[in-house]
Amino acid sequence: MEPVPVKIVCNGTAYQLQVEPRTLLADLLRSDLGSKGTHIGCEHGVCGACTVLVDGEPMRSCLMLAVQADGRTIQTVESLELPDGSLNELQESFHEHHGLQCGYCTSGILMSLTALFNEDKAPSESRIRDYIQGHICRCTGYQQMIEACVELSGLRSKELS
Ligand code: FES
Ligand code: FES
């Protein structure tokens, strides 16, 4: 098939690309834009490893064609790094609470939680659990991730009060 033009902004950089119509957004991000932090697990929308933000909303990039991202803004896990190269507060809390082991699921989970913490400065534990439950992690048992998020939410609550 003939390539089609796609314009996207990914992690603050504008791209104009020519892509095959069948190209998945996950493949575009990894192969064309070098966002290797976007992981591909099941490739059918179940595991959540490929989750990125599209116009601020968490989306499974294995279920979206690259052409469907035309004109939209994408954020991958690479966007979470602070300007000095350090971890952001959510990543730091995961690190402190041992919220990851192999890390394969982590980038997708961080992106879903980023959407939550963007929308709700100090989410409840039940909201945190709702956002994590759409992801499969084979290593951690999830508890440490929840603890990381609950602590971050508590810190933010104190800042707000
Ligand atoms: S790789 Fe996309 S949901 Fe599993
Ligand atoms: S940390 Fe290994 S799959 Fe989640």
Side-chain angles (χ1 to χ4, degrees):
M1 282 191 201
E2 284 294 301
V4 293
V6 170
K7 283 187 190 176
I8 62 170
V9 175
C10 182
N11 299 339
T13 302
Y15 295 91
Q16 293 194 33
L17 304 149
Q18 295 285 329
V19 301
E20 284 192 36
R22 64 182 179 176
T23 304
L24 296 174
L25 177 60
D27 290 327
L28 179 90
L29 293 171
R30 287 180 55 83
S31 301
D32 294 73
L33 305 190
S35 169
K36 303 286 191 197
T38 303
H39 292 161
I40 297 175
C42 64
E43 285 192 281
H44 57 272
V46 175
C47 74
C50 64
T51 302
V52 298
L53 302 188
V54 178
D55 293 338
E57 295 293 325
M59 302 282 286
R60 309 292 213 218
S61 61
C62 73
L63 292 185
M64 190 168 177
L65 293 168
V67 293
Q68 292 175 295
D70 186 37
R72 306 177 80 172
T73 298
I74 316 290
Q75 281 173 265
T76 68
V77 70
E78 287 85 355
S79 71
L80 302 185
E81 177 183 311
L82 298 179
D84 66 359
S86 59
L87 302 178
N88 78 5
E89 58 185 354
L90 178 59
Q91 293 171 305
E92 193 59 53
S93 199
F94 262 58
H95 174 65
E96 292 293 320
H97 287 269
H98 306 291
L100 66 149
Q101 289 181 28
C102 79
Y104 204 84
C105 67
T106 311
S107 49
I109 290 175
L110 287 173
M111 295 320 288
S112 281
L113 290 168
T114 294
L116 172 62
F117 277 96
N118 284 346
E119 175 202 306
D120 183 348
K121 279 231 162 284
S124 64
E125 182 172 333
S126 107
R127 290 206 78 198
I128 291 163
R129 285 177 179 272
D130 276 351
Y131 272 68
I132 290 177
Q133 76 174 0
H135 293 265
I136 294 174
C137 174
R138 298 284 190 203
C139 305
T140 64
Y142 305 97
Q143 190 55 37
Q144 297 99 319
M145 297 181 203
I146 293 162
E147 288 167 10
C149 294
V150 167
E151 181 177 90
L152 177 58
S153 182
L155 289 172
R156 285 184 165 192
S157 283
K158 279 188 198 152
E159 284 167 16
L160 289 171
S161 60

